[in-house]
């Protein structure tokens, strides 16, 4: 069966950024991916993400730190690289989250 789209591709263009988001379903589990491309990087302009108190892992790939946290029994990963901010959230295992992050950087 594999992973299927659970929602339509959502693209929101704003004056200083473009937000791209998509939901997915695999079996009976769901997850979402959101990418924000900023026109200019402003350190205080990055989003604030809700999480439980525990940071599960700082996962570094290609010199970029990805923060993996848990919120309401779902895992989230967030990172920033120059003018791009990424976010993955859903019913995923820690290993699945690492594999998804790794796949971003495969050539």
């Amino acid at each position: 069966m594999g992973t299927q789209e659970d929602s339509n591709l959502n693209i929101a263009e704003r004056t200083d950024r473009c937000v791209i988001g998509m939901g997915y379903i695999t079996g009976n589990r769901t997850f979402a991916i959101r990418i924000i491309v900023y026109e200019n990087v402003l350190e205080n302009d990055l989003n604030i993400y809700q999480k439980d108190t525990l940071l599960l892992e700082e996962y570094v790939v290609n010199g970029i730190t990805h923060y993996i946290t848990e919120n309401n029994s779902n895992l989230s990963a967030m990172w920033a690289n120059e003018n791009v901010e990424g976010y993955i959230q859903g019913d995923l295992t820690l290993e699945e989250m690492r594999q998804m992050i790794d796949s971003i950087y495969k050539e």
Side-chain angles (χ1 to χ4, degrees):
M1 183 170 168
T3 301
Q4 300 176 347
E5 297 171 1
D6 188 37
S7 63
N8 292 324
L9 179 65
N10 182 18
I11 300 173
E13 293 186 45
R14 300 195 173 99
T15 56
D16 63 342
R17 71 191 80 174
C18 179
V19 181
I20 304 162
M22 186 79 175
Y24 297 90
I25 188 166
T26 181
N28 62 349
R29 301 179 304 145
T30 61
F31 65 94
I33 299 173
R34 183 175 62 214
I35 303 295
I36 303 171
V37 181
Y38 293 91
E39 189 172 304
N40 297 303
V41 178
L42 299 173
E43 217 170 292
N44 62 354
D45 195 31
L46 297 178
N47 285 302
I48 297 172
Y49 295 98
Q50 190 173 22
K51 68 174 190 66
D52 294 344
T53 58
L54 181 63
L55 173 65
L56 294 180
E57 183 173 351
E58 289 185 14
Y59 188 60
V60 179
V61 180
N62 281 8
I64 301 165
T65 302
H66 303 75
Y67 299 95
I68 301 175
T69 65
E70 187 173 19
N71 187 41
N72 295 326
S73 300
N74 285 313
L75 288 187
S76 299
M78 63 277 313
W79 66 96
N81 183 15
E82 297 182 11
N83 67 323
V84 177
E85 181 178 327
Y87 179 73
I88 303 169
Q89 184 273 328
D91 185 8
L92 300 164
T93 67
L94 185 56
E95 185 56 32
E96 288 170 328
M97 186 65 81
R98 288 183 193 129
Q99 289 173 356
M100 290 179 80
I101 293 167
D102 289 342
S103 74
I104 295 168
Y105 304 98
K106 289 187 177 176
E107 293 184 22

